[in-house]
Amino acid sequence: MPKIKVNNNELEVEDGLTVLQACEQAGAEIPRFCYHEKLSIAGNCRMCLVEIEKSPKPVASCAMPVADGMNIKTNTEFVEKARKGVMEFLLANHPLDCPVCDQGGECDLQDQSMFYGIDKSRFKENKRLVSEKYMGPLIKTQMTRCIHCTRCVRFATEVAGVTELGAIGRGENMQITTYLEKAMESELSANVIDLCPVGALTSKPYVFEARPWELKKTESIDVMDAIGSNIRIDTYGWEVKRILPKNNDDINEEWISDKTRYACDGLKNQRLDTPYFKENGEFKKISWKNAYEILVKKINKTSPEKIACFTGDLTNMETMYVAKEFFEKTIKSKNLESRADYVYINNKIRSNYIFNSKINGIEESDLILLIGTNPRYEATILNARIRKSFLKNKTDIYSAGDVGDLTYPYKVLSNSTKTIKEICENKHEVSDKIINAKKPIVIIGQSALKLKSGKYIFENIKNFLISKKKISDEWNSLNIISENASTVGGYDLDLLSSNDGRNITLEEMKKNNFEVIFFLGQDNISFKKKNEFIIYIGSHGDKGAEVADLILPGAAYTEQEGFYTNLEGKIQKAFQASYPPGEAKEDWEILNDLSELLKRKKIFKNKDELINGLMNYINIKKNIKDNTNVSAPDFIDEKIILDLNDYFYSNVIARASKTMSECRNIKIKSKKTGTES
């Protein structure tokens, strides 16, 4: 390990570090524009200049590897003068439009120019002018402000895995563009806005909406998919103005998907703010008192076995736990289900339905097998990890069937279940590769588990991995991709009408055997309604509200505190950033109040009692361990066909979002080449 000096302080650093990284370990702050920890080194901006003993000129610290015996100075007059010279060049062509720039107040160039800038410019020539570039409905460009750091280009190429963004020209005439002036179609495209150190790339939906110091900032959890990305919610009064990523190297690193970032404008559209009751085919506003009276009367007249409940894809764990207690103890009904389809799940142990290898564990894998999944659309951030693993480890990636462009190369296997059978019987080339791999990862998607052969695929793959010692305390190769934020939490709380794969509650509902049905934020079930009395509890007027007889307005995920369990089984807390509109209440409170009216006793006295009960239940579930072989069902010969939700319309918030609609329209209208299907 090299021994160096930084500002006369001796320290020992790891091999392979750059001078910039070593200086940061020593506590010295180095200004930078082009350098970013998650991207390759470019050395474009030269702002990170330092003085190294025996070097005749200042050195770009981001591109210089550390060597033993280096004596580095970061705060000398020589260094300061060099950085001021760089800053003068950067500001020579930069427009002085900070007051009208959306980056104002959180601009790296603005911050550094306050320290290294000068009060007068020696530049007398005309400033350059660069035309606007079209990058789609999400990214607003003002390329005259661009300082050619190329962060956006490197992100698009390295992390997003698209070649839509690049540079043309040289020197002062260099321009960042999408070449064909088309929208970026990557699901991670808007991360370039965060990466841009100036105001060249800003958020188009957020343009001129607010200044950063006017916004209330709340750290929370995303619910647009099952990843559980860490986010920051910025609000102005009641309204959510924007959502930004919060760094978490174990989950989403510094990135979030475009849907996570921009679906938030759906929080103010199609909102339910007061109870409604359907009379003569028309909804009429009623009071909470009248709504409860109608519901209590209906429940008291109905036998428990004729009452059912389906929880939705955005429902937090507190609400699901209250629903469980309400149905099992207050109503005494067993018809409670968290699935909206016939997906096979055996929730006896947690490892049967979570991503056991962990999201950051993907980077350690040397083989990945995809079965019935397209992670690019089901779990965008996870897909970026797979790409990272490929670039880092040259990981072999296989897929049962051609699932389209995943932003990395993979070998297509047959999409027949015969392929799975051959792999499990050690009669396929992939079998030996899994056996010989140190840390293989098998990812089973919801599309595979929805098949008639879902149970066969899961149990045979699991038994194969157990027999080859690929499931252990050190490494578990069996992984399930969940599509929705509430999926794993529902399985943790045993909100299943059967653990043998059957969805008995859904079967009975489609036979019209229920009289009263609760849709607890559930908007993804379609069935032919007859005489059922349907109660919808949720935040938006969507599919569930359309078929309801009684609507009770609930809160969105930004308007209430709640726990969510992500696909790897990590429980995270979402914090309240705003408040429900009108007379809307938090979902758990509605059921808690209803229980008091039915039994003269609330299920939980307060939120703390609810959380304690929830955590005790989850802890018991976590401690159950059983990796014994389970007898697999008979083989079913069928094709593994992807059955994915519409990416841009996957939930009620996204469907209410104007921005998501624009993105969807561009995707539909995008011209296909002769090589695309």
Side-chain angles (χ1 to χ4, degrees), residues 53 63 107 164 173 201 228 243 269 332 401 460 540 628 634 665:
E53 191 177 68
C107 175
E164 298 171 346
N173 297 318
L201 304 176
I243 288 178
N269 299 327
K332 301 190 184 301
N460 274 277
H540 286 69
T628 56
D634 295 334
N665 290 336

Side-chain angles (χ1 to χ4, degrees), residues 62-80:
C62 69
M64 174 64 72
V66 166
D68 191 52
M70 272 187 173
N71 187 5
I72 305 163
K73 304 286 185 180
T74 69
N75 54 8
T76 63
E77 185 179 346
F78 178 70
V79 171
E80 187 174 338

Side-chain angles (χ1 to χ4, degrees), residues 73-91:
K73 304 286 185 180
T74 69
N75 54 8
T76 63
E77 185 179 346
F78 178 70
V79 171
E80 187 174 338
K81 186 178 179 181
R83 291 175 182 171
K84 283 186 175 181
V86 172
M87 179 59 68
E88 188 175 8
F89 275 115
L90 290 175
L91 294 177

Side-chain angles (χ1 to χ4, degrees), residues 29 56 101 109 145 192 198 210 219 248 277 285 348 353 384 386 432 435 457 473 478 504 591 598:
E29 186 176 346
C101 178
L109 183 65
R145 300 170 184 157
V192 300
V198 297
E219 294 181 353
N248 187 326
F277 180 63
K285 292 183 179 181
K348 184 180 179 182
Y353 54 84
I386 297 176
D432 292 332
I435 295 169
I457 292 171
D473 292 337
L478 181 65
I504 298 173
L591 294 174
L598 286 166

